[in-house]
Amino acid sequence: MKNEDKIIIELCNFYAPDVNFLQTALSQDIDLTYILGTLLMNRVGGVAYYTLSSNDLFGCLNREFVNSLKSVYESNIQKTLEFREILEEVSKYLSGRRFKYALLKGSYLQQLYPIGTRTSNDIDILISNDGLDVLSKELNDNSFVQGFTKNGKIRVASRKEIVSSRINRGETVPFLKQSTRTYLPITEIDINTSLDHKATGHVECINVMLENSIPTITTSHGMLHTLDECDLIIHLCCHLYKEATTFDWVCWGRDQGLYKYIDVYALMYGKDKSFVNDMVHRIHTYSLERECKYVFEALSLLYGKIFVKVFELLNEDKNNEKFIFDYK
């Protein structure tokens, strides 16, 4: 691994970076253009700026490099504040509902990360099948339409696209609504009923996860539920594996992204042996070894330590096959 890649990984180790390494490495003759481009392409520019700022490392760097990361960081703060407004709106549609649901990924992570380091473009909701029609109707009644965005415009989905996504992919066509917000002018809500590329994938796992969902996000309309920490990590692994094994997403370059691995890092930081054992036991219970092992193998190479232990425990199951699936 070249020095620039080591610097990128260490800048993303925002909880406990090796400051001595960064001070030395950043003072050497390095390709700052490569580092900056990689950070931005992987949506971790805000994380890198936070690490540099928190550890007084700006003196080692070119001013334009720092200013580029600063712009991303400051933009991320404003975007997160707008995202929290959207959570307030969504809480109106979920408050008091009898069906089981859990907000996923960025909805929870934006409050776990230091502000400015993790943004989200949409709200992902995992929901029980009995709640899907209820929530869909609620969103439609509040001016949401199902469709796609292109160049800042909404294209309404056809009936065929809506039905196909729900039947074949275990997720709805996104629910979209135009707004006057600067950074998030279109509110997007993605509803999921599956953990993989199939509409009925791991139904029993989802039921257990939703049964164990917990209130974690405070809004003026009440607490919003997320999965508990073990299940959040497992879901992130499943989602990452899904994107890495779906043909179209691989072609679009969505199969990898450093921020996706950092999400797992952020949730795992500070966890002890007891948590690891409980999580691995749950992974075995769900029969999701392949998906989680794929992610923890990469994390063991990036960060070592606790991630190596998880990978070793999962690697006792020798199923290492990885398949590429095509919806067509």
Side-chain angles (χ1 to χ4, degrees):
M1 184 184 297
K2 61 183 181 180
N3 211 32
E4 285 84 354
D5 290 324
K6 293 178 182 178
I7 291 170
I8 290 166
I9 292 169
E10 205 58 48
L11 287 173
C12 294
N13 189 9
F14 61 94
Y15 279 129
D18 186 338
V19 178
N20 289 331
F21 164 76
L22 286 173
Q23 285 175 331
T24 301
L26 292 172
S27 299
Q28 296 174 355
D29 183 17
I30 52 176
D31 188 347
L32 286 177
T33 302
Y34 172 83
I35 294 174
L36 180 61
T38 303
L39 290 171
L40 298 184
M41 285 287 290
N42 283 274
R43 291 173 55 180
V44 292
V47 172
Y49 182 85
Y50 175 85
T51 300
L52 292 168
S53 175
S54 300
N55 296 281
D56 196 23
L57 292 169
F58 291 144
C60 307
L61 291 162
N62 173 279
R63 183 181 66 177
E64 300 309 323
F65 177 90
V66 172
N67 285 342
S68 296
L69 293 180
K70 182 180 180 181
S71 295
V72 173
Y73 176 77
E74 291 176 343
S75 174
N76 284 354
I77 290 175
Q78 297 306 313
K79 196 172 183 179
T80 298
L81 293 176
E82 290 192 355
F83 185 81
R84 291 174 181 175
E85 292 177 3
I86 293 173
L87 281 174
E88 281 286 332
E89 180 181 0
V90 170
S91 69
K92 294 187 295 185
Y93 313 134
L94 294 172
S95 178
R97 298 297 176 187
R98 294 182 181 275
F99 56 77
K100 298 290 185 180
Y101 76 90
L103 298 184
L104 305 169
K105 301 188 298 182
S107 296
Y108 174 75
L109 291 166
Q110 56 83 26
Q111 69 177 22
L112 176 68
Y113 280 68
I115 190 168
T117 59
R118 175 61 158 90
T119 62
S120 184
N121 297 317
D122 52 32
I123 290 181
D124 293 277
I125 305 175
L126 185 66
I127 197 169
S128 56
N129 279 313
D130 63 324
L132 181 54
D133 288 333
V134 177
L135 182 56
S136 296
K137 183 178 185 305
E138 182 77 12
L139 293 173
N140 288 146
D141 289 346
N142 284 276
S143 303
F144 282 85
V145 297
Q146 287 186 264
F148 308 93
T149 59
K150 185 175 182 180
N151 299 324
K153 304 293 184 181
I154 295 175
R155 177 180 74 78
V156 177
S158 67
R159 177 66 178 167
K160 179 181 178 181
E161 288 171 323
I162 292 172
V163 173
S164 175
S165 184
R166 183 163 170 174
I167 291 176
N168 296 318
R169 306 189 184 191
E171 61 185 17
T172 62
V173 171
F175 286 84
L176 306 173
K177 183 178 181 180
Q178 201 81 42
S179 78
T180 58
R181 295 184 180 93
T182 302
Y183 293 86
L184 295 171
I186 296 177
T187 299
E188 177 176 336
I189 300 175
D190 297 326
I191 303 177
N192 300 268
T193 58
S194 172
L195 291 183
D196 59 19
H197 69 288
K198 300 184 292 293
T200 56
H202 304 289
V203 173
E204 291 305 315
C205 296
I206 291 172
N207 289 338
V208 174
M209 287 181 174
L210 291 176
E211 194 63 38
N212 294 330
S213 66
I214 53 177
T216 53
I217 302 172
T218 303
T219 74
S220 60
H221 299 281
M223 298 291 289
L224 294 175
H225 284 235
T226 66
L227 301 177
D228 76 8
E229 284 194 304
C230 276
D231 285 340
L232 271 171
I233 293 168
I234 294 170
H235 176 270
L236 286 170
C237 292
C238 289
H239 187 75
L240 204 163
Y241 184 83
K242 175 181 176 179
E243 293 190 330
T245 55
T246 302
F247 183 75
D248 282 347
W249 287 351
V250 172
C251 292
W252 295 332
R254 289 180 55 185
D255 57 317
Q256 295 296 326
L258 189 53
Y259 79 94
K260 300 173 186 178
Y261 292 95
I262 297 174
D263 284 345
V264 181
Y265 157 82
L267 285 165
M268 287 290 294
Y269 184 78
K271 296 296 187 288
D272 58 17
K273 181 178 179 181
S274 175
F275 181 90
V276 167
N277 290 336
D278 289 345
M279 185 182 69
V280 170
H281 173 74
R282 200 176 300 190
I283 291 169
H284 288 313
T285 300
Y286 292 153
S287 298
L288 292 171
E289 293 90 351
R290 178 192 290 123
E291 292 83 349
C292 294
K293 185 162 53 178
Y294 175 79
V295 175
F296 277 98
E297 180 177 16
L299 284 167
S300 68
L301 296 173
L302 291 172
Y303 293 111
K305 299 178 183 178
I306 191 172
F307 303 103
V308 174
K309 180 61 177 177
V310 176
F311 177 65
E312 288 174 347
L313 290 171
L314 291 174
N315 207 38
E316 294 172 3
D317 168 27
K318 297 303 179 183
N319 185 358
N320 286 307
E321 294 178 290
K322 173 174 172 281
F323 304 96
I324 299 294
F325 302 98
D326 191 354
Y327 288 134
K328 299 183 181 67

